Amino acid sequence: MSTHKNITNPAITLLSLVGIVLFIFFYIIAAINYPGGSDIAQNQTGFSLKNNYLCDLLDNQAINGALNSARIYASIALAILCFSLILLWYHLPKLFDRKNKAQTIMSITGILSLIITLFLASGIHDIIIRIAGVFGVAALLISFIELYKANYYKLLIFGMICLLLFLTNYYIYETEILIDKLPLIQKVTFLFFCNWFVLLSICIYRKLS
C-alpha cells in the first residue's frame, strides 16, 4: 500500500523543475559576485568555471582573502535546490504503478540526503558531503531498481551515468588524481544530475496528468 496520496493538481510536481531553474539563476548571480581566488590560482579575479568549486561560493571568505559577497546568493540557491529536490523525492513513488516499501525508503533517504546538504555552508563540508552522499547513493540505487522494474530504461541509463560521474568526483577528491580537473568535472556532473531531475519531474507530471 502506498504511503503517498494522489495529489489533485499534477502541476505541483513541476515545482522541482522551477526550483532547479531558480537555483541556476541565483548561482549565476553568486558567481558574478564572487571576489576571486581558487585553490589553483589564489589571485585570480572572479569565479572561474575551470578552477573554482561550486562550494567556494558558500564560504564566508573568498579564497583571495576578500569578504565573499556571493555567499548570500549561493545560500539562497542551495536552499531552493534542496527544497525543490525534496519535493521530487517525495513525489517520485507516484511515477510507479506498483507500490512497495522500497519506494518509501527511497523517498526517505533522498529527502534526508538533501536536508543534510542544507548544512554545506556550516564549515564541515567534507563530513556533510560524505553523510549526504551515503543517503543519496542509497536513494539512487533504489530508484534505479524501481525504474528498471517499471521499464523506464532511458531514465535508468541516464541516472546510472549520473551516479558514475558522482563516484568519479569522489574518487578524484579522495585520491587527488587529476584533482586540477575536478572543478570542471564537478560542474559537468551537476549539469547531468539537473537534467535527470528535470526529466524525472516531467515524467511524474505526465504520469499524473
Side-chain angles (χ1 to χ4, degrees):
M1 181 177 178
S2 172
T3 58
H4 295 75
K5 297 180 180 180
N6 289 331
I7 58 177
T8 56
N9 186 1
I12 293 176
T13 61
L14 294 179
L15 288 176
S16 299
L17 191 156
V18 174
I20 290 172
V21 173
L22 287 174
F23 162 80
I24 294 172
F25 172 75
F26 277 102
Y27 236 96
I28 290 174
I29 294 177
I32 292 172
N33 282 274
Y34 184 71
S38 67
D39 291 339
I40 297 173
Q42 293 188 1
N43 295 320
Q44 75 181 29
T45 301
F47 184 84
S48 168
L49 291 174
K50 180 181 178 182
N51 297 331
N52 282 107
Y53 295 99
L54 295 175
C55 291
D56 290 343
L57 299 177
L58 289 166
D59 293 334
N60 289 311
Q61 188 177 50
I63 295 176
N64 68 1
L67 181 66
N68 185 12
S69 53
R71 187 173 188 268
I72 181 63
Y73 303 108
S75 297
I76 292 171
L78 178 64
I80 291 174
L81 181 67
C82 288
F83 284 116
S84 299
L85 296 184
I86 283 172
L87 286 175
L88 175 62
W89 283 110
Y90 173 79
H91 290 303
L92 186 55
K94 296 171 184 175
L95 183 63
F96 310 112
D97 293 324
R98 295 183 178 182
K99 310 302 180 184
N100 55 52
K101 292 182 179 179
Q103 293 167 13
T104 301
I105 296 172
M106 174 188 70
S107 281
I108 292 172
T109 52
I111 290 170
L112 282 174
S113 175
L114 291 159
I115 290 174
I116 294 168
T117 301
L118 281 169
F119 296 93
L120 263 180
S122 64
I124 49 173
H125 173 275
D126 290 0
I127 295 175
I128 293 297
I129 287 295
R130 290 187 176 98
I131 297 175
V134 170
F135 284 110
V137 168
L140 287 172
L141 292 177
I142 297 173
S143 72
F144 294 164
I145 294 171
E146 297 302 315
L147 289 170
Y148 175 80
K149 292 192 297 186
N151 299 323
Y152 289 104
Y153 298 124
K154 291 182 180 179
L155 283 174
L156 169 62
I157 293 172
F158 201 159
M160 292 177 69
I161 292 173
C162 291
L163 178 58
L164 180 61
L165 285 170
F166 171 80
L167 294 175
T168 300
N169 278 257
Y170 184 74
Y171 176 79
I172 293 173
Y173 185 76
E174 292 295 336
T175 64
E176 296 191 358
I177 297 174
L178 297 177
I179 193 67
D180 59 315
K181 307 297 183 184
L182 185 55
L184 188 58
I185 295 173
Q186 180 201 54
K187 295 173 186 66
V188 172
T189 302
F190 205 84
L191 285 175
F192 266 81
F193 267 105
C194 283
N195 278 285
W196 188 59
F197 291 140
V198 166
L199 291 175
L200 284 175
S201 295
I202 293 172
C203 285
I204 296 169
Y205 170 75
R206 290 176 176 173
K207 180 73 175 182
L208 298 176
S209 297

PDB file of all heavy atoms in Angstrom, residues 137-172:
ATOM      1  N   VAL A 137      23.220   8.074  -2.411  1.00  0.00           N
ATOM      2  CA  VAL A 137      23.517   6.885  -3.214  1.00  0.00           C
ATOM      3  C   VAL A 137      22.488   5.785  -2.936  1.00  0.00           C
ATOM      4  O   VAL A 137      22.038   5.089  -3.859  1.00  0.00           O
ATOM      5  CB  VAL A 137      24.952   6.380  -2.933  1.00  0.00           C
ATOM      6  CG1 VAL A 137      25.163   4.993  -3.544  1.00  0.00           C
ATOM      7  CG2 VAL A 137      25.976   7.360  -3.489  1.00  0.00           C
ATOM      8  N   ALA A 138      22.089   5.641  -1.678  1.00  0.00           N
ATOM      9  CA  ALA A 138      21.059   4.647  -1.331  1.00  0.00           C
ATOM     10  C   ALA A 138      19.766   4.951  -2.074  1.00  0.00           C
ATOM     11  O   ALA A 138      19.130   4.051  -2.650  1.00  0.00           O
ATOM     12  CB  ALA A 138      20.823   4.640   0.178  1.00  0.00           C
ATOM     13  N   ALA A 139      19.364   6.234  -2.075  1.00  0.00           N
ATOM     14  CA  ALA A 139      18.145   6.629  -2.784  1.00  0.00           C
ATOM     15  C   ALA A 139      18.268   6.368  -4.279  1.00  0.00           C
ATOM     16  O   ALA A 139      17.321   5.885  -4.922  1.00  0.00           O
ATOM     17  CB  ALA A 139      17.852   8.108  -2.521  1.00  0.00           C
ATOM     18  N   LEU A 140      19.423   6.671  -4.841  1.00  0.00           N
ATOM     19  CA  LEU A 140      19.638   6.460  -6.267  1.00  0.00           C
ATOM     20  C   LEU A 140      19.558   4.984  -6.634  1.00  0.00           C
ATOM     21  O   LEU A 140      18.897   4.610  -7.618  1.00  0.00           O
ATOM     22  CB  LEU A 140      20.997   7.018  -6.681  1.00  0.00           C
ATOM     23  CG  LEU A 140      21.126   8.545  -6.755  1.00  0.00           C
ATOM     24  CD1 LEU A 140      22.578   8.942  -6.995  1.00  0.00           C
ATOM     25  CD2 LEU A 140      20.234   9.105  -7.849  1.00  0.00           C
ATOM     26  N   LEU A 141      20.207   4.141  -5.859  1.00  0.00           N
ATOM     27  CA  LEU A 141      20.222   2.705  -6.166  1.00  0.00           C
ATOM     28  C   LEU A 141      18.811   2.118  -6.129  1.00  0.00           C
ATOM     29  O   LEU A 141      18.434   1.325  -6.994  1.00  0.00           O
ATOM     30  CB  LEU A 141      21.144   1.971  -5.194  1.00  0.00           C
ATOM     31  CG  LEU A 141      22.641   2.286  -5.337  1.00  0.00           C
ATOM     32  CD1 LEU A 141      23.439   1.554  -4.258  1.00  0.00           C
ATOM     33  CD2 LEU A 141      23.151   1.889  -6.720  1.00  0.00           C
ATOM     34  N   ILE A 142      18.037   2.522  -5.133  1.00  0.00           N
ATOM     35  CA  ILE A 142      16.655   2.030  -5.055  1.00  0.00           C
ATOM     36  C   ILE A 142      15.840   2.553  -6.236  1.00  0.00           C
ATOM     37  O   ILE A 142      15.041   1.817  -6.831  1.00  0.00           O
ATOM     38  CB  ILE A 142      15.993   2.436  -3.726  1.00  0.00           C
ATOM     39  CG1 ILE A 142      16.736   1.795  -2.551  1.00  0.00           C
ATOM     40  CG2 ILE A 142      14.530   1.999  -3.707  1.00  0.00           C
ATOM     41  CD1 ILE A 142      16.258   2.273  -1.188  1.00  0.00           C
ATOM     42  N   SER A 143      16.061   3.823  -6.583  1.00  0.00           N
ATOM     43  CA  SER A 143      15.326   4.390  -7.720  1.00  0.00           C
ATOM     44  C   SER A 143      15.670   3.658  -9.012  1.00  0.00           C
ATOM     45  O   SER A 143      14.796   3.451  -9.861  1.00  0.00           O
ATOM     46  CB  SER A 143      15.616   5.882  -7.862  1.00  0.00           C
ATOM     47  OG  SER A 143      16.927   6.124  -8.349  1.00  0.00           O
ATOM     48  N   PHE A 144      16.920   3.242  -9.154  1.00  0.00           N
ATOM     49  CA  PHE A 144      17.318   2.502 -10.354  1.00  0.00           C
ATOM     50  C   PHE A 144      16.564   1.175 -10.449  1.00  0.00           C
ATOM     51  O   PHE A 144      16.108   0.780 -11.527  1.00  0.00           O
ATOM     52  CB  PHE A 144      18.826   2.228 -10.343  1.00  0.00           C
ATOM     53  CG  PHE A 144      19.674   3.473 -10.450  1.00  0.00           C
ATOM     54  CD1 PHE A 144      21.029   3.422 -10.122  1.00  0.00           C
ATOM     55  CD2 PHE A 144      19.145   4.681 -10.859  1.00  0.00           C
ATOM     56  CE1 PHE A 144      21.823   4.550 -10.215  1.00  0.00           C
ATOM     57  CE2 PHE A 144      19.923   5.821 -10.954  1.00  0.00           C
ATOM     58  CZ  PHE A 144      21.268   5.749 -10.635  1.00  0.00           C
ATOM     59  N   ILE A 145      16.458   0.492  -9.327  1.00  0.00           N
ATOM     60  CA  ILE A 145      15.731  -0.779  -9.305  1.00  0.00           C
ATOM     61  C   ILE A 145      14.267  -0.568  -9.685  1.00  0.00           C
ATOM     62  O   ILE A 145      13.694  -1.322 -10.498  1.00  0.00           O
ATOM     63  CB  ILE A 145      15.830  -1.427  -7.904  1.00  0.00           C
ATOM     64  CG1 ILE A 145      17.281  -1.825  -7.610  1.00  0.00           C
ATOM     65  CG2 ILE A 145      14.920  -2.659  -7.815  1.00  0.00           C
ATOM     66  CD1 ILE A 145      17.512  -2.279  -6.181  1.00  0.00           C
ATOM     67  N   GLU A 146      13.659   0.477  -9.127  1.00  0.00           N
ATOM     68  CA  GLU A 146      12.246   0.761  -9.411  1.00  0.00           C
ATOM     69  C   GLU A 146      12.052   1.202 -10.858  1.00  0.00           C
ATOM     70  O   GLU A 146      11.070   0.824 -11.503  1.00  0.00           O
ATOM     71  CB  GLU A 146      11.718   1.820  -8.445  1.00  0.00           C
ATOM     72  CG  GLU A 146      11.729   1.398  -6.985  1.00  0.00           C
ATOM     73  CD  GLU A 146      10.909   0.140  -6.745  1.00  0.00           C
ATOM     74  OE1 GLU A 146       9.786   0.041  -7.275  1.00  0.00           O
ATOM     75  OE2 GLU A 146      11.408  -0.754  -6.035  1.00  0.00           O
ATOM     76  N   LEU A 147      12.971   1.998 -11.388  1.00  0.00           N
ATOM     77  CA  LEU A 147      12.894   2.414 -12.786  1.00  0.00           C
ATOM     78  C   LEU A 147      13.021   1.217 -13.720  1.00  0.00           C
ATOM     79  O   LEU A 147      12.325   1.131 -14.739  1.00  0.00           O
ATOM     80  CB  LEU A 147      13.985   3.444 -13.098  1.00  0.00           C
ATOM     81  CG  LEU A 147      13.811   4.838 -12.493  1.00  0.00           C
ATOM     82  CD1 LEU A 147      15.073   5.668 -12.681  1.00  0.00           C
ATOM     83  CD2 LEU A 147      12.611   5.550 -13.110  1.00  0.00           C
ATOM     84  N   TYR A 148      13.893   0.295 -13.363  1.00  0.00           N
ATOM     85  CA  TYR A 148      14.072  -0.914 -14.169  1.00  0.00           C
ATOM     86  C   TYR A 148      12.801  -1.763 -14.172  1.00  0.00           C
ATOM     87  O   TYR A 148      12.346  -2.221 -15.225  1.00  0.00           O
ATOM     88  CB  TYR A 148      15.257  -1.728 -13.640  1.00  0.00           C
ATOM     89  CG  TYR A 148      15.440  -3.050 -14.352  1.00  0.00           C
ATOM     90  CD1 TYR A 148      16.072  -3.099 -15.594  1.00  0.00           C
ATOM     91  CD2 TYR A 148      14.979  -4.244 -13.793  1.00  0.00           C
ATOM     92  CE1 TYR A 148      16.236  -4.297 -16.260  1.00  0.00           C
ATOM     93  CE2 TYR A 148      15.138  -5.445 -14.449  1.00  0.00           C
ATOM     94  CZ  TYR A 148      15.766  -5.467 -15.680  1.00  0.00           C
ATOM     95  OH  TYR A 148      15.921  -6.661 -16.345  1.00  0.00           O
ATOM     96  N   LYS A 149      12.219  -1.951 -13.005  1.00  0.00           N
ATOM     97  CA  LYS A 149      11.008  -2.767 -12.899  1.00  0.00           C
ATOM     98  C   LYS A 149       9.830  -2.137 -13.634  1.00  0.00           C
ATOM     99  O   LYS A 149       8.937  -2.845 -14.112  1.00  0.00           O
ATOM    100  CB  LYS A 149      10.654  -2.999 -11.426  1.00  0.00           C
ATOM    101  CG  LYS A 149      11.638  -3.884 -10.690  1.00  0.00           C
ATOM    102  CD  LYS A 149      11.113  -4.338  -9.340  1.00  0.00           C
ATOM    103  CE  LYS A 149      10.878  -3.207  -8.395  1.00  0.00           C
ATOM    104  NZ  LYS A 149      10.492  -3.684  -7.035  1.00  0.00           N
ATOM    105  N   ALA A 150       9.828  -0.800 -13.708  1.00  0.00           N
ATOM    106  CA  ALA A 150       8.724  -0.093 -14.377  1.00  0.00           C
ATOM    107  C   ALA A 150       9.018   0.202 -15.853  1.00  0.00           C
ATOM    108  O   ALA A 150       8.251   0.903 -16.515  1.00  0.00           O
ATOM    109  CB  ALA A 150       8.431   1.206 -13.649  1.00  0.00           C
ATOM    110  N   ASN A 151      10.133  -0.331 -16.351  1.00  0.00           N
ATOM    111  CA  ASN A 151      10.515  -0.197 -17.765  1.00  0.00           C
ATOM    112  C   ASN A 151      10.876   1.232 -18.183  1.00  0.00           C
ATOM    113  O   ASN A 151      10.752   1.591 -19.358  1.00  0.00           O
ATOM    114  CB  ASN A 151       9.398  -0.718 -18.687  1.00  0.00           C
ATOM    115  CG  ASN A 151       9.101  -2.184 -18.451  1.00  0.00           C
ATOM    116  OD1 ASN A 151      10.001  -2.983 -18.197  1.00  0.00           O
ATOM    117  ND2 ASN A 151       7.826  -2.555 -18.523  1.00  0.00           N
ATOM    118  N   TYR A 152      11.339   2.032 -17.240  1.00  0.00           N
ATOM    119  CA  TYR A 152      11.850   3.363 -17.579  1.00  0.00           C
ATOM    120  C   TYR A 152      13.349   3.261 -17.854  1.00  0.00           C
ATOM    121  O   TYR A 152      14.184   3.777 -17.114  1.00  0.00           O
ATOM    122  CB  TYR A 152      11.595   4.340 -16.432  1.00  0.00           C
ATOM    123  CG  TYR A 152      10.147   4.731 -16.248  1.00  0.00           C
ATOM    124  CD1 TYR A 152       9.394   4.196 -15.208  1.00  0.00           C
ATOM    125  CD2 TYR A 152       9.540   5.636 -17.108  1.00  0.00           C
ATOM    126  CE1 TYR A 152       8.068   4.561 -15.023  1.00  0.00           C
ATOM    127  CE2 TYR A 152       8.211   6.007 -16.940  1.00  0.00           C
ATOM    128  CZ  TYR A 152       7.477   5.462 -15.896  1.00  0.00           C
ATOM    129  OH  TYR A 152       6.170   5.822 -15.720  1.00  0.00           O
ATOM    130  N   TYR A 153      13.675   2.611 -18.953  1.00  0.00           N
ATOM    131  CA  TYR A 153      15.069   2.267 -19.215  1.00  0.00           C
ATOM    132  C   TYR A 153      15.936   3.485 -19.542  1.00  0.00           C
ATOM    133  O   TYR A 153      17.101   3.546 -19.139  1.00  0.00           O
ATOM    134  CB  TYR A 153      15.145   1.242 -20.349  1.00  0.00           C
ATOM    135  CG  TYR A 153      14.449  -0.059 -20.027  1.00  0.00           C
ATOM    136  CD1 TYR A 153      13.453  -0.557 -20.859  1.00  0.00           C
ATOM    137  CD2 TYR A 153      14.777  -0.776 -18.880  1.00  0.00           C
ATOM    138  CE1 TYR A 153      12.806  -1.746 -20.563  1.00  0.00           C
ATOM    139  CE2 TYR A 153      14.133  -1.962 -18.569  1.00  0.00           C
ATOM    140  CZ  TYR A 153      13.143  -2.443 -19.420  1.00  0.00           C
ATOM    141  OH  TYR A 153      12.500  -3.617 -19.109  1.00  0.00           O
ATOM    142  N   LYS A 154      15.379   4.453 -20.268  1.00  0.00           N
ATOM    143  CA  LYS A 154      16.163   5.644 -20.606  1.00  0.00           C
ATOM    144  C   LYS A 154      16.493   6.451 -19.358  1.00  0.00           C
ATOM    145  O   LYS A 154      17.626   6.929 -19.189  1.00  0.00           O
ATOM    146  CB  LYS A 154      15.412   6.502 -21.620  1.00  0.00           C
ATOM    147  CG  LYS A 154      15.298   5.858 -22.997  1.00  0.00           C
ATOM    148  CD  LYS A 154      14.576   6.775 -23.973  1.00  0.00           C
ATOM    149  CE  LYS A 154      14.467   6.122 -25.347  1.00  0.00           C
ATOM    150  NZ  LYS A 154      13.736   6.997 -26.309  1.00  0.00           N
ATOM    151  N   LEU A 155      15.501   6.609 -18.474  1.00  0.00           N
ATOM    152  CA  LEU A 155      15.753   7.304 -17.211  1.00  0.00           C
ATOM    153  C   LEU A 155      16.764   6.541 -16.365  1.00  0.00           C
ATOM    154  O   LEU A 155      17.603   7.141 -15.686  1.00  0.00           O
ATOM    155  CB  LEU A 155      14.446   7.466 -16.429  1.00  0.00           C
ATOM    156  CG  LEU A 155      13.494   8.567 -16.900  1.00  0.00           C
ATOM    157  CD1 LEU A 155      12.188   8.498 -16.123  1.00  0.00           C
ATOM    158  CD2 LEU A 155      14.131   9.937 -16.749  1.00  0.00           C
ATOM    159  N   LEU A 156      16.684   5.225 -16.407  1.00  0.00           N
ATOM    160  CA  LEU A 156      17.618   4.386 -15.658  1.00  0.00           C
ATOM    161  C   LEU A 156      19.053   4.589 -16.144  1.00  0.00           C
ATOM    162  O   LEU A 156      19.967   4.809 -15.339  1.00  0.00           O
ATOM    163  CB  LEU A 156      17.221   2.916 -15.794  1.00  0.00           C
ATOM    164  CG  LEU A 156      18.229   1.880 -15.284  1.00  0.00           C
ATOM    165  CD1 LEU A 156      18.460   2.041 -13.788  1.00  0.00           C
ATOM    166  CD2 LEU A 156      17.758   0.468 -15.609  1.00  0.00           C
ATOM    167  N   ILE A 157      19.243   4.534 -17.453  1.00  0.00           N
ATOM    168  CA  ILE A 157      20.596   4.679 -18.014  1.00  0.00           C
ATOM    169  C   ILE A 157      21.157   6.062 -17.715  1.00  0.00           C
ATOM    170  O   ILE A 157      22.318   6.212 -17.319  1.00  0.00           O
ATOM    171  CB  ILE A 157      20.575   4.425 -19.536  1.00  0.00           C
ATOM    172  CG1 ILE A 157      20.239   2.949 -19.810  1.00  0.00           C
ATOM    173  CG2 ILE A 157      21.919   4.788 -20.161  1.00  0.00           C
ATOM    174  CD1 ILE A 157      20.006   2.634 -21.268  1.00  0.00           C
ATOM    175  N   PHE A 158      20.314   7.092 -17.872  1.00  0.00           N
ATOM    176  CA  PHE A 158      20.730   8.466 -17.581  1.00  0.00           C
ATOM    177  C   PHE A 158      21.135   8.590 -16.110  1.00  0.00           C
ATOM    178  O   PHE A 158      22.158   9.191 -15.764  1.00  0.00           O
ATOM    179  CB  PHE A 158      19.588   9.425 -17.906  1.00  0.00           C
ATOM    180  CG  PHE A 158      20.028  10.852 -18.123  1.00  0.00           C
ATOM    181  CD1 PHE A 158      19.226  11.737 -18.828  1.00  0.00           C
ATOM    182  CD2 PHE A 158      21.232  11.331 -17.622  1.00  0.00           C
ATOM    183  CE1 PHE A 158      19.611  13.057 -19.023  1.00  0.00           C
ATOM    184  CE2 PHE A 158      21.630  12.644 -17.819  1.00  0.00           C
ATOM    185  CZ  PHE A 158      20.815  13.509 -18.522  1.00  0.00           C
ATOM    186  N   GLY A 159      20.323   8.011 -15.222  1.00  0.00           N
ATOM    187  CA  GLY A 159      20.625   8.054 -13.789  1.00  0.00           C
ATOM    188  C   GLY A 159      21.911   7.339 -13.451  1.00  0.00           C
ATOM    189  O   GLY A 159      22.689   7.807 -12.605  1.00  0.00           O
ATOM    190  N   MET A 160      22.151   6.216 -14.104  1.00  0.00           N
ATOM    191  CA  MET A 160      23.376   5.452 -13.847  1.00  0.00           C
ATOM    192  C   MET A 160      24.614   6.229 -14.296  1.00  0.00           C
ATOM    193  O   MET A 160      25.662   6.165 -13.650  1.00  0.00           O
ATOM    194  CB  MET A 160      23.296   4.096 -14.535  1.00  0.00           C
ATOM    195  CG  MET A 160      22.256   3.163 -13.924  1.00  0.00           C
ATOM    196  SD  MET A 160      22.086   1.585 -14.796  1.00  0.00           S
ATOM    197  CE  MET A 160      23.661   0.822 -14.391  1.00  0.00           C
ATOM    198  N   ILE A 161      24.480   6.975 -15.386  1.00  0.00           N
ATOM    199  CA  ILE A 161      25.585   7.819 -15.835  1.00  0.00           C
ATOM    200  C   ILE A 161      25.873   8.897 -14.791  1.00  0.00           C
ATOM    201  O   ILE A 161      27.027   9.189 -14.474  1.00  0.00           O
ATOM    202  CB  ILE A 161      25.257   8.460 -17.199  1.00  0.00           C
ATOM    203  CG1 ILE A 161      25.208   7.389 -18.284  1.00  0.00           C
ATOM    204  CG2 ILE A 161      26.296   9.530 -17.563  1.00  0.00           C
ATOM    205  CD1 ILE A 161      24.719   7.895 -19.629  1.00  0.00           C
ATOM    206  N   CYS A 162      24.789   9.468 -14.233  1.00  0.00           N
ATOM    207  CA  CYS A 162      24.945  10.478 -13.186  1.00  0.00           C
ATOM    208  C   CYS A 162      25.681   9.905 -11.974  1.00  0.00           C
ATOM    209  O   CYS A 162      26.582  10.539 -11.421  1.00  0.00           O
ATOM    210  CB  CYS A 162      23.578  11.007 -12.753  1.00  0.00           C
ATOM    211  SG  CYS A 162      22.733  12.010 -13.981  1.00  0.00           S
ATOM    212  N   LEU A 163      25.282   8.708 -11.554  1.00  0.00           N
ATOM    213  CA  LEU A 163      25.931   8.071 -10.407  1.00  0.00           C
ATOM    214  C   LEU A 163      27.400   7.790 -10.695  1.00  0.00           C
ATOM    215  O   LEU A 163      28.265   7.996  -9.832  1.00  0.00           O
ATOM    216  CB  LEU A 163      25.205   6.777 -10.031  1.00  0.00           C
ATOM    217  CG  LEU A 163      25.817   5.984  -8.872  1.00  0.00           C
ATOM    218  CD1 LEU A 163      25.889   6.825  -7.603  1.00  0.00           C
ATOM    219  CD2 LEU A 163      25.031   4.698  -8.623  1.00  0.00           C
ATOM    220  N   LEU A 164      27.697   7.331 -11.896  1.00  0.00           N
ATOM    221  CA  LEU A 164      29.085   7.061 -12.278  1.00  0.00           C
ATOM    222  C   LEU A 164      29.920   8.338 -12.217  1.00  0.00           C
ATOM    223  O   LEU A 164      31.053   8.331 -11.724  1.00  0.00           O
ATOM    224  CB  LEU A 164      29.133   6.458 -13.688  1.00  0.00           C
ATOM    225  CG  LEU A 164      30.532   6.124 -14.226  1.00  0.00           C
ATOM    226  CD1 LEU A 164      31.217   5.091 -13.332  1.00  0.00           C
ATOM    227  CD2 LEU A 164      30.432   5.597 -15.658  1.00  0.00           C
ATOM    228  N   LEU A 165      29.350   9.433 -12.682  1.00  0.00           N
ATOM    229  CA  LEU A 165      30.057  10.721 -12.614  1.00  0.00           C
ATOM    230  C   LEU A 165      30.268  11.151 -11.166  1.00  0.00           C
ATOM    231  O   LEU A 165      31.339  11.661 -10.808  1.00  0.00           O
ATOM    232  CB  LEU A 165      29.260  11.789 -13.367  1.00  0.00           C
ATOM    233  CG  LEU A 165      29.307  11.715 -14.892  1.00  0.00           C
ATOM    234  CD1 LEU A 165      28.281  12.663 -15.503  1.00  0.00           C
ATOM    235  CD2 LEU A 165      30.705  12.037 -15.402  1.00  0.00           C
ATOM    236  N   PHE A 166      29.249  10.938 -10.323  1.00  0.00           N
ATOM    237  CA  PHE A 166      29.375  11.275  -8.903  1.00  0.00           C
ATOM    238  C   PHE A 166      30.502  10.480  -8.247  1.00  0.00           C
ATOM    239  O   PHE A 166      31.321  11.030  -7.498  1.00  0.00           O
ATOM    240  CB  PHE A 166      28.054  11.002  -8.186  1.00  0.00           C
ATOM    241  CG  PHE A 166      28.147  11.119  -6.688  1.00  0.00           C
ATOM    242  CD1 PHE A 166      28.123  12.365  -6.070  1.00  0.00           C
ATOM    243  CD2 PHE A 166      28.270   9.989  -5.891  1.00  0.00           C
ATOM    244  CE1 PHE A 166      28.222  12.479  -4.687  1.00  0.00           C
ATOM    245  CE2 PHE A 166      28.366  10.090  -4.504  1.00  0.00           C
ATOM    246  CZ  PHE A 166      28.347  11.334  -3.902  1.00  0.00           C
ATOM    247  N   LEU A 167      30.555   9.189  -8.522  1.00  0.00           N
ATOM    248  CA  LEU A 167      31.596   8.339  -7.950  1.00  0.00           C
ATOM    249  C   LEU A 167      32.979   8.729  -8.478  1.00  0.00           C
ATOM    250  O   LEU A 167      33.976   8.634  -7.754  1.00  0.00           O
ATOM    251  CB  LEU A 167      31.302   6.870  -8.258  1.00  0.00           C
ATOM    252  CG  LEU A 167      30.041   6.302  -7.596  1.00  0.00           C
ATOM    253  CD1 LEU A 167      29.791   4.870  -8.067  1.00  0.00           C
ATOM    254  CD2 LEU A 167      30.158   6.345  -6.073  1.00  0.00           C
ATOM    255  N   THR A 168      33.024   9.187  -9.727  1.00  0.00           N
ATOM    256  CA  THR A 168      34.289   9.675 -10.297  1.00  0.00           C
ATOM    257  C   THR A 168      34.766  10.909  -9.542  1.00  0.00           C
ATOM    258  O   THR A 168      35.956  11.034  -9.220  1.00  0.00           O
ATOM    259  CB  THR A 168      34.110  10.019 -11.787  1.00  0.00           C
ATOM    260  OG1 THR A 168      33.700   8.846 -12.498  1.00  0.00           O
ATOM    261  CG2 THR A 168      35.412  10.548 -12.382  1.00  0.00           C
ATOM    262  N   ASN A 169      33.832  11.818  -9.243  1.00  0.00           N
ATOM    263  CA  ASN A 169      34.163  13.002  -8.432  1.00  0.00           C
ATOM    264  C   ASN A 169      34.740  12.591  -7.087  1.00  0.00           C
ATOM    265  O   ASN A 169      35.761  13.135  -6.635  1.00  0.00           O
ATOM    266  CB  ASN A 169      32.908  13.854  -8.207  1.00  0.00           C
ATOM    267  CG  ASN A 169      32.594  14.763  -9.368  1.00  0.00           C
ATOM    268  OD1 ASN A 169      32.846  15.954  -9.335  1.00  0.00           O
ATOM    269  ND2 ASN A 169      32.035  14.197 -10.420  1.00  0.00           N
ATOM    270  N   TYR A 170      34.079  11.648  -6.436  1.00  0.00           N
ATOM    271  CA  TYR A 170      34.503  11.223  -5.100  1.00  0.00           C
ATOM    272  C   TYR A 170      35.887  10.568  -5.156  1.00  0.00           C
ATOM    273  O   TYR A 170      36.741  10.825  -4.294  1.00  0.00           O
ATOM    274  CB  TYR A 170      33.492  10.238  -4.519  1.00  0.00           C
ATOM    275  CG  TYR A 170      33.801   9.823  -3.105  1.00  0.00           C
ATOM    276  CD1 TYR A 170      33.590  10.691  -2.034  1.00  0.00           C
ATOM    277  CD2 TYR A 170      34.325   8.559  -2.827  1.00  0.00           C
ATOM    278  CE1 TYR A 170      33.887  10.323  -0.737  1.00  0.00           C
ATOM    279  CE2 TYR A 170      34.628   8.176  -1.532  1.00  0.00           C
ATOM    280  CZ  TYR A 170      34.396   9.056  -0.493  1.00  0.00           C
ATOM    281  OH  TYR A 170      34.705   8.693   0.795  1.00  0.00           O
ATOM    282  N   TYR A 171      36.128   9.753  -6.184  1.00  0.00           N
ATOM    283  CA  TYR A 171      37.424   9.077  -6.332  1.00  0.00           C
ATOM    284  C   TYR A 171      38.547  10.100  -6.523  1.00  0.00           C
ATOM    285  O   TYR A 171      39.606  10.019  -5.884  1.00  0.00           O
ATOM    286  CB  TYR A 171      37.378   8.117  -7.520  1.00  0.00           C
ATOM    287  CG  TYR A 171      38.696   7.450  -7.807  1.00  0.00           C
ATOM    288  CD1 TYR A 171      39.131   6.362  -7.052  1.00  0.00           C
ATOM    289  CD2 TYR A 171      39.510   7.913  -8.845  1.00  0.00           C
ATOM    290  CE1 TYR A 171      40.352   5.754  -7.311  1.00  0.00           C
ATOM    291  CE2 TYR A 171      40.729   7.313  -9.109  1.00  0.00           C
ATOM    292  CZ  TYR A 171      41.149   6.233  -8.334  1.00  0.00           C
ATOM    293  OH  TYR A 171      42.369   5.643  -8.599  1.00  0.00           O
ATOM    294  N   ILE A 172      38.304  11.076  -7.396  1.00  0.00           N
ATOM    295  CA  ILE A 172      39.317  12.107  -7.649  1.00  0.00           C
ATOM    296  C   ILE A 172      39.577  12.911  -6.381  1.00  0.00           C
ATOM    297  O   ILE A 172      40.732  13.221  -6.047  1.00  0.00           O
ATOM    298  CB  ILE A 172      38.876  13.034  -8.792  1.00  0.00           C
ATOM    299  CG1 ILE A 172      38.833  12.270 -10.112  1.00  0.00           C
ATOM    300  CG2 ILE A 172      39.817  14.237  -8.914  1.00  0.00           C
ATOM    301  CD1 ILE A 172      38.257  13.061 -11.270  1.00  0.00           C
TER     302      ILE A 172
END
